[in-house]
Amino acid sequence: MDSDLFKNWEKRSGQRQKVYKQFLQKTDKNTVLRQLPALHEEAFEKIECRQCANCCRNYSPRFKTPDIKRISRHLKLRESEFIQKYLVVDEDGDFVTTSKPCPFLAADNFCSIYDQRPSDCHRFPYTDEDVFIKRHQLTLKNSSFCPAVYFVLERLVTEK
């Protein structure tokens, strides 16, 4: 990791939420969308997700119907069994895991269903998608626990 940029990144991200919010609200979305792919690549050259796994420890992805079907098949469970064993409906009406950390997170921070993981997990942290710029609240929340989101926001804010 880039030691200066990542030193106390969680605290710094917390302190800069207002700056990030203002940037996301006022920035030219097309310009940012053009910058995201390169910043995403740069972030993941510096960050190894398995050293962190904050997302898997503290939050649950949405499990959409195709995810449930695919993962159930992989685990050789009926969909109803999979749902009963691992999922609950949240306040938004989405299926999420019943526990934190994620029941599929192994001790080595590897996902036991990685090749079958939910689409939200596959796409996370959205640093190379329009979701990053369109869903400000999600991006701000993600910046508080994901060093990749923090990195991309810092680069965008400091290089504007």
Side-chain angles (χ1 to χ4, degrees):
M1 275 197 203
D2 205 340
S3 61
D4 287 342
L5 182 61
F6 290 106
K7 186 175 183 179
N8 298 318
W9 75 267
E10 289 148 317
K11 180 180 179 185
R12 185 163 166 77
S13 177
Q15 293 169 338
R16 293 179 53 83
Q17 289 293 298
K18 186 175 180 180
V19 172
Y20 298 155
K21 183 177 182 178
Q22 289 172 342
F23 173 82
L24 290 167
Q25 289 173 336
K26 295 179 180 179
T27 192
D28 179 66
K29 290 169 183 29
N30 291 325
T31 300
V32 171
L33 286 173
R34 284 191 298 274
Q35 293 173 294
L36 287 181
L39 291 171
H40 174 85
E41 290 299 318
E42 185 180 354
F44 286 98
E45 287 171 5
K46 299 174 183 306
I47 297 162
E48 170 54 51
C49 287
R50 287 178 55 192
Q51 290 178 353
C52 175
N54 281 344
C55 52
C56 303
R57 278 190 188 70
N58 300 300
Y59 300 94
S60 174
R62 294 170 298 173
F63 284 72
K64 298 176 186 169
T65 301
D67 300 322
I68 293 170
K69 289 180 181 301
R70 186 179 63 257
I71 297 166
S72 297
R73 213 172 22 255
H74 174 74
L75 296 175
K76 297 178 176 50
L77 295 171
R78 289 192 317 256
E79 291 173 29
S80 60
E81 290 175 302
F82 174 74
I83 290 168
Q84 183 178 7
K85 185 172 183 176
Y86 295 108
L87 304 179
V88 67
V89 176
D90 71 4
E91 63 277 353
D92 296 325
D94 295 318
F95 280 111
V96 295
T97 57
T98 56
S99 63
K100 292 175 186 78
C102 177
F104 305 108
L105 180 66
D108 64 355
N109 285 345
F110 192 78
C111 175
S112 65
I113 60 166
Y114 187 80
D115 290 337
Q116 305 300 322
R117 70 195 184 277
S119 61
D120 275 4
C121 296
H122 180 74
R123 295 171 55 211
F124 189 83
Y126 313 105
T127 47
D128 59 349
E129 297 185 21
D130 63 355
V131 170
F132 186 88
I133 198 74
K134 287 183 176 178
R135 295 189 59 203
H136 301 165
Q137 287 305 110
L138 180 64
T139 299
L140 292 170
K141 175 184 166 187
N142 292 346
S143 74
S144 71
F145 67 87
C146 178
V149 177
Y150 163 77
F151 175 87
V152 171
L153 278 170
E154 277 298 308
R155 284 287 201 257
L156 288 167
V157 167
T158 58
E159 294 176 7
K160 62 179 178 168

